[in-house]
Amino acid sequence: MANTTTISFTLTTPKSTTTFLSSLPTKSNLNFKLNPFTSSTHFKSIPNSSIPILKSFPDDTVITTTTPSYRNLKSRLRSGETLYGIFLLTFSPTLSEIAGLAGYDFVVVDMEHGHGSISDALPCLHALAASQTAAIVRVPETTAAWAKKALDLGPQGIMFPMIESGKSAAKAVSYCRFPPAGLRGSAHPIVRASSYGIDEGYLNNYLDELLVMVQVESEEGVKNVEKIAAVDGVDCVQMGPLDLSASMGYLWDPGNKKVKETLREAERKVLKRKSEKDDVFLSGFALPFDGPKDLRSRGYHMVSGASDVGLFRNSVVEDVLRFKESLVEDGSDSDREELGKDADEKYWSE
């Protein structure tokens, strides 16, 4: 009888392993961000204090905080952070992703002055989500239809232009709330804002996570800024210095003394409301004569320091100028003056 050999196999399920962020090698300049679009986190066991976040402004000041950056914009503002962002007018997903990876706290996808619409904004929001950076959508006008389309995309914030009264601010807020509290159309089971219906807690959380921003950018708006800031549901008043200067007759002189005084008046009233009720924040856009550091020193809670178009324009003009200057052999002042004409500071209009 032939010898036989019996071989036995035992199949075992491999043990699952969990890797925590706190166990990963980190450097002091790493900024860990978790998904800001979900109502819950998969890293509940990680204490907030174990995730160091490095925040910086475009000056010599560096702020280090242990606040995890995956929290939504509204909660970060309430915790006392000053947030720094950029406006996106090109609707480029690549530039959106770069802006997020660069460390901006938020990116405003601008449908008011940018060429794109809803279908162009969506890839930008995808890119920002990939870089785990908060998106704010500025709608071209304050209507229920535009608000509905923008909010269904699932941004963390929405910005309404040219708000001039408490009544118009209240209308803007109503466009962000589902009935019976507001007028927002309901398609929450199938839109990106609710993770296409996968986020079952969306209806319970959406108001806590959405930052509603209204722009005050006219003389009429400044006159009514106290009423605007007092409207329930207005989270942030965004100042618009260029449109304000135009409404005052200083289109080509936004740095005019009268414009500055009017802007300061509006700022003081919003900050007064903030100190008394702690329910509204001040935001604005920096200009060449009124930089990010200036806005922050006056109490702004959100500062937009640039636009993608402005940064690219300045960079390419400087690049061309640098090359052409290298071709100038005599180095005369007149030649350099002629070459530098196109490199003058320009204003970016809201």
Side-chain angles (χ1 to χ4, degrees), residues 86-264:
I86 185 173
F87 272 59
L88 185 84
L89 284 84
T90 61
F91 286 78
S92 165
T94 299
L95 294 184
S96 300
E97 189 172 24
I98 290 172
L101 294 172
Y104 284 107
D105 296 304
F106 63 90
V107 174
V108 180
V109 180
D110 188 7
M111 293 197 300
E112 184 186 11
H113 288 293
H115 65 267
S117 188
I118 293 295
S119 58
D120 303 297
L122 181 56
C124 297
L125 268 65
H126 287 156
L128 291 170
S131 61
Q132 295 163 356
T133 303
I136 297 170
V137 174
R138 177 159 73 165
V139 292
E141 58 184 2
T142 304
T143 65
W146 274 113
K148 174 174 57 179
K149 282 182 168 292
L151 291 172
D152 282 351
L153 294 182
Q156 276 202 32
I158 184 169
M159 187 183 296
F160 294 97
M162 201 58 72
I163 299 299
E164 297 188 311
S165 67
K167 184 178 180 179
S168 60
K171 280 187 176 181
V173 171
S174 74
Y175 301 152
C176 300
R177 295 178 172 179
F178 293 114
L183 303 173
R184 180 179 172 184
S186 178
H188 58 275
I190 56 171
V191 296
R192 184 175 184 270
S194 65
S195 299
Y196 305 100
I198 296 172
D199 181 1
E200 296 179 355
Y202 176 71
L203 290 180
N204 293 327
N205 302 326
Y206 80 97
L207 286 179
D208 294 329
E209 298 177 352
L210 178 67
L211 188 73
V212 178
M213 307 176 71
V214 297
Q215 287 193 262
V216 171
E217 45 189 346
S218 67
E219 277 192 289
E220 186 67 19
V222 171
K223 289 178 184 177
N224 295 312
V225 70
E226 288 174 300
K227 295 179 180 178
I228 293 170
V231 170
D232 178 47
V234 168
D235 299 310
C236 198
V237 175
Q238 168 87 14
M239 303 309 302
L242 295 184
D243 279 322
L244 175 61
S245 66
S247 75
M248 296 177 64
Y250 298 101
L251 176 63
W252 298 108
D253 188 16
N256 187 277
K257 182 180 178 181
K258 292 182 179 179
V259 177
K260 288 183 178 181
E261 290 173 351
T262 303
L263 186 64
R264 301 295 185 276

